[in-house]
Amino acid sequence: MSIPLPDAERLRAELAEKLVVDDPAWRRAVESVPRHRFVPGFYADSGKRSDDALTVWEPVTEAIDRERCLKAVYTDTTLITQFDGDEPDWGRPVPRVGGAPSSSSTLPSLVLRMWADAELEDGQDVLEIGTGTGYSTALACERLGDSGNLTSVEVDGHRLSQAASALYGCGYAPDLAVADGLYGYWPCASYDRIVAACSVRTVPHAWLAQTRPGGKILTTLSGWLYGYARVRLTVHGDGTAEGPLLPGTISFMAARVQERPEPGNPAHWAALTRDAEARPVRHSPERLDEATEEGFFGRFLAQLAVPNAQVVTAGDAMHVTDVTSGSAATLAPDDGEWRVQQAGPLRLWDAVETVWEAWRQADRPGPESFRMRIHNGRQRIHHHSAANLSFTLPA
């Protein structure tokens, strides 16, 4: 007896039910957009490891296993569709060993949260930064219908080609272009909303210039420590912009040109701090990996304190390094406690601990207690009342 194959329409309805979408327009979008048309295949962890302990990723397509593919597509999960910028041939996919994900179909609940937080309204002109698979674009097209105009840009030409085929094949007709979204997209400007499906270290000036007065920019801020926070900015006619950080956790891949630089050999960074005086830490570096909402925001605050720092691990040791200044902090366990040695013009771990201590004294407020302001080219994030929780983003 054959097992009935899942019905995509039924699965979409079940997904919309699980997402608990309050807005009827967005619920209809989830029920209408065939996500499987935008995900011809994805990579799943096979559970196997290579000889050098790298993950072996197995391809999943409708041709390989239709039931598994459709069930995964219509669950609230992120599906990895590309590694290292290498576009797979989904007609003849092969397993991957290791690699860094460079494109994905973001989990639907996150896509909906981003569009909802952008406060889209009928009749608006919208710029989406990062078309990706096109699923998010399709949801916005379904929501706006013929009332507004959606432009979506993607830096990866192969990725956009696949997305365009799926979008046009489903009857959607947004303006699409291969372009670096950090420059916005001047030909279709100006916009009522700019929504970024990638993360940035700072808000690009072009986005401000291309947003109409009273328009809004929604983006994720990130950095080389992989801390994340969302911000919704309202752009004013004088070129300034201001708005709140939004609650909840979120992460998006960084704009490719803003990816962290290669850090180099950990042994070389360790050599910089080898002769430095060691002291016990006041805050454990393990807090950088806390898998809680509070820990997630704590990592973002650490990143604001040392915006050009990144973490390199080697054995039991953790190196916090800054390739722009040549500063380093080596943290290592010693008889049950962590100790730190620092070198270079910046005392990186001192800066992190100072911010965490100020955050503790303020009773660890969440992101919704912070605002961002852009004025005269300067971008700052500050707490509404704690003066020592104020930061300037890197230029």
Side-chain angles (χ1 to χ4, degrees):
M1 177 178 176
S2 62
I3 299 174
L5 293 174
D7 175 76
E9 185 175 346
R10 173 179 57 81
L11 290 174
R12 286 200 298 276
E14 292 175 356
L15 175 61
E17 187 71 26
K18 291 175 182 176
L19 294 179
V20 192
V21 184
D22 294 328
D23 187 327
W26 284 116
R27 185 185 180 95
R28 286 193 297 270
V30 175
E31 292 174 339
S32 300
V33 175
R35 190 187 185 201
H36 66 279
R37 295 282 295 275
F38 297 88
V39 187
F42 62 91
Y43 285 104
D45 187 341
S46 68
K48 301 175 182 177
R49 297 297 179 264
S50 66
D51 291 341
D52 46 0
L54 296 176
T55 300
V56 177
W57 299 93
E58 62 179 354
V60 180
T61 67
E62 285 195 62
I64 294 172
D65 188 336
R66 184 170 187 262
E67 184 171 0
R68 179 186 180 188
C69 185
L70 287 179
K71 283 185 175 179
V73 164
Y74 290 109
T75 56
D76 189 28
T77 188
T78 293
L79 302 173
I80 299 172
T81 56
Q82 187 191 81
F83 287 93
D84 303 320
D86 182 18
E87 187 67 27
D89 177 359
W90 289 114
R92 294 177 295 177
V94 295
R96 294 275 314 206
V97 177
S102 52
S103 189
S104 64
S105 180
T106 304
L107 68 163
S109 61
L110 177 51
V111 172
L112 287 172
R113 192 198 320 175
M114 290 293 289
W115 283 127
D117 286 340
E119 300 177 343
L120 261 61
E121 298 176 4
D122 292 343
Q124 290 180 334
D125 294 319
V126 180
L127 174 63
E128 178 188 36
I129 307 295
T131 314
T133 65
Y135 177 67
S136 173
T137 314
L139 288 173
C141 287
E142 190 71 36
R143 166 63 181 83
L144 290 171
D146 296 328
S147 69
N149 184 63
L150 176 66
T151 301
S152 186
V153 297
E154 169 62 47
V155 71
D156 186 325
H158 293 292
R159 172 59 54 198
L160 187 71
S161 177
Q162 282 201 352
S165 295
L167 284 162
Y168 298 148
C170 290
Y172 302 114
D175 291 321
L176 301 176
V178 177
D180 186 337
L182 293 184
Y183 297 97
Y185 195 63
W186 288 101
C188 296
S190 55
Y191 307 100
D192 300 295
R193 297 289 186 271
I194 293 181
V195 179
C198 61
S199 61
V200 293
R201 299 186 73 207
T202 57
V203 176
H205 173 73
W207 296 2
L208 300 171
Q210 293 173 31
T211 303
R212 292 173 182 144
K216 298 180 181 181
I217 296 170
L218 182 74
T219 189
T220 301
L221 301 171
S222 67
W224 298 341
L225 284 181
Y226 300 124
Y228 300 89
R230 292 177 301 149
V231 64
R232 182 177 59 229
L233 298 169
T234 298
V235 178
H236 306 298
D238 59 359
T240 64
E242 187 172 8
L245 300 191
L246 302 179
T249 60
I250 195 170
S251 63
F252 273 114
M253 294 178 186
R256 293 192 182 182
V257 297
Q258 292 190 354
E259 286 280 8
R260 74 176 192 172
E262 289 297 332
N265 189 330
H268 296 161
W269 290 103
L272 290 181
T273 60
R274 185 170 297 133
D275 297 328
E277 180 181 355
R279 68 163 177 85
V281 302
R282 290 180 291 144
H283 293 275
S284 168
E286 294 169 313
R287 294 186 60 185
L288 289 173
D289 293 319
E290 282 184 8
T292 64
E293 191 164 314
E294 184 179 87
F296 196 88
F297 188 60
R299 188 183 188 102
F300 180 73
L301 291 176
Q303 182 175 271
L304 292 177
V306 286
N308 294 319
Q310 56 183 294
V311 170
V312 183
T313 57
D316 293 334
M318 175 187 294
H319 306 287
V320 180
T321 67
D322 180 348
V323 301
T324 68
S325 69
S327 303
T330 296
L331 299 110
D334 180 22
D335 197 22
E337 68 174 5
W338 286 87
R339 299 179 70 80
V340 61
Q341 295 171 281
Q342 302 179 85
L346 304 176
R347 291 297 182 261
L348 299 175
W349 198 248
D350 287 358
V352 170
E353 290 190 320
T354 297
V355 167
W356 278 350
E357 186 60 26
W359 185 42
R360 184 193 66 79
Q361 292 178 1
D363 201 23
R364 294 187 175 87
E368 62 276 10
S369 300
F370 290 76
R371 293 184 67 81
M372 181 175 179
R373 176 173 169 78
I374 301 176
H375 180 68
N376 290 335
R378 192 182 190 197
Q379 304 192 15
R380 292 188 62 78
I381 292 176
H382 63 277
H383 185 263
H384 65 82
S385 62
N388 52 356
L389 288 175
S390 180
F391 312 90
T392 300
L393 272 61

